Amino acid sequence: MKPFRYANPATIDTAVELLADDGAMAMAGGVDLVHEMKRGIRAPALVVSLSGIDGLSGIVERDGVVEIGALTPVERLLSDPVIATHTPLLTQAAREVATPQLRAMGTVAGNILQRPQCWYYRDPDSFCLRKGGTHCHAVAGDNRYHAILGGGPCHIVCPSDLAPALVALDATVTVQGAGAAERCLPIRELFVGPRTDPHSEHVLARGEIITRLIVPSSAGAQSLFMKARERAAWDFALASASVLVTRDANATVTRARIVLGGVAPNAWDASDAAASLVGSPLDAASIARAADLCVRGARPLRDNAYKVDLTRRLTARALETIATHDPIGH
Ligand SMILES: Cc1cc2nc3c(=O)[nH]c(=O)nc-3n(C[C@H](O)[C@H](O)[C@H](O)COP(=O)(O)OP(=O)(O)OC[C@H]3O[C@@H](n4cnc5c(N)ncnc54)[C@H](O)[C@@H]3O)c2cc1C
């Protein structure tokens, strides 16, 4: 690991001032950043820990809107009664993240901003497109875990389980930078695809940090997070589906959201698939149609065509499971 300076500011203002310097990087739990530093993938001159700042961690609910501090440990989402009542999709997604130890260290903002797991990106000896090289090594290389949707020129996938769930829940993030007023942006606008920027997965400017996530309550909707992985535990998603469905008293779908993880460079909002469910009961035909639409336009690489069927089946299974429950009062 290259030598670096370390700061542990007590306020957001000091943190963002320090982070405005070229070569400074924010650290939350450090699970991902320290790993990258050890591998020599990133070498900040200054690491600014956010862990000493009061008020960046915690969960509160006001008028049906849940506020989650950026530094809240992922593990906390599993046991928090506000999350269980208002955004149970997040409880389910958090349960699938890594291990209890990693969830205790890792934070919500750190989870959604973690860098890709692509083995060419993580290989210190590989100078791939994401690290400033000329091309994506996955195209001609071993691409069994790479993107089937929205890929190119880089073919990473979103490794976070929380990001797709938060997109499905229409969360907003609050962002603070040096000398600027706090700004809010919908989480779907936080992420950026490789066609727009092959080097970063988000639009945060230098020195900006996420301070909070604001999540509207999904009480009244039925939700389910499902994840397929190669190993039974402690593994990233080959594909995940975050599904939210609202049905009326006649069991007709009035609103739906389907967001996929592990298959595209960012959380993939399968909005056409979700829209196709609205106005019909959740039956075999509507589920099959939505599952097909989820992977419409998929362009698998040489080794990952299996993800197309996996994603289709995972989405169908999530919708089928929801359909078996009482539409009101899940
Ligand atoms: C073995 C293993 C298995 C894993 N399995 C899974 C899994 O199954 N599912 C899953 O979702 N994740 C998984 N992870 C990832 C893990 O959950 C993340 O690494 C962790 O959540 C990162 O959180 P952190 O707080 O430690 O982030 P850090 O490592 O501190 O930061 C990560 C990145 O986010 C930036 N950052 C952090 N907080 C802020 C902020 N508030 N504002 C601006 N920038 C910020 C940092 O600069 C850095 O670039 C796994 C990790 C390991 C090591």
Side-chain angles (χ1 to χ4, degrees), residues 26 28-33 42 98 107 111 114 161 210 227 235-236:
V31 173
D32 196 39
L33 183 63
R42 295 212 279 178
T107 65
N111 182 275
Q114 63 178 292
D161 290 326
I210 294 178
K227 172 172 171 178
D235 208 355
F236 291 90

Side-chain angles (χ1 to χ4, degrees), residues 63-246:
D63 303 325
V65 175
V66 178
E67 279 190 25
I68 305 172
L71 273 272
T72 305
V74 175
E75 183 72 6
R76 170 88 190 269
L77 301 180
L78 269 74
S79 57
D80 191 274
V82 167
I83 299 293
T85 306
H86 290 278
T87 55
L89 186 64
L90 276 185
T91 317
Q92 297 167 19
R95 192 175 294 129
E96 301 300 323
V97 171
T99 63
Q101 293 90 337
L102 289 163
R103 292 196 296 262
M105 284 300 293
T107 65
V108 174
N111 182 275
I112 65 175
L113 295 177
Q114 63 178 292
R115 304 300 315 271
Q117 285 299 319
C118 168
W119 41 37
Y120 297 107
Y121 170 75
R122 296 273 164 176
D123 177 358
D125 297 326
S126 145
F127 189 51
C128 72
L129 181 61
R130 188 140 295 262
K131 290 190 280 191
T134 54
H135 64 284
C136 173
H137 295 185
V139 174
D142 185 336
N143 44 45
R144 74 188 99 152
Y145 299 128
H146 290 79
I148 55 167
L149 289 158
C154 158
H155 295 266
I156 55 160
V157 295
C158 163
S160 166
D161 290 326
L162 297 185
L166 286 160
V167 172
L169 287 161
D170 290 323
T172 297
V173 292
T174 62
V175 173
Q176 180 79 61
E182 184 180 79
R183 68 184 175 108
C184 291
L185 76 160
I187 191 165
R188 61 178 186 281
E189 291 174 20
L190 173 69
F191 300 115
V192 65
R195 278 193 191 88
T196 309
D197 185 349
H199 309 306
S200 177
E201 300 83 53
H202 60 75
V203 298
L204 295 182
R206 164 158 300 288
E208 280 189 324
I209 60 166
I210 294 178
T211 51
R212 276 174 301 147
L213 292 99
I214 299 169
V215 193
S217 172
S218 65
Q222 296 172 283
S223 57
L224 198 59
F225 178 86
M226 277 199 162
K227 172 172 171 178
R229 54 189 149 197
E230 203 161 41
R231 293 184 303 186
W234 159 298
D235 208 355
F236 291 90
L238 295 172
S240 74
S242 293
V243 178
L244 259 136
V245 174
T246 309

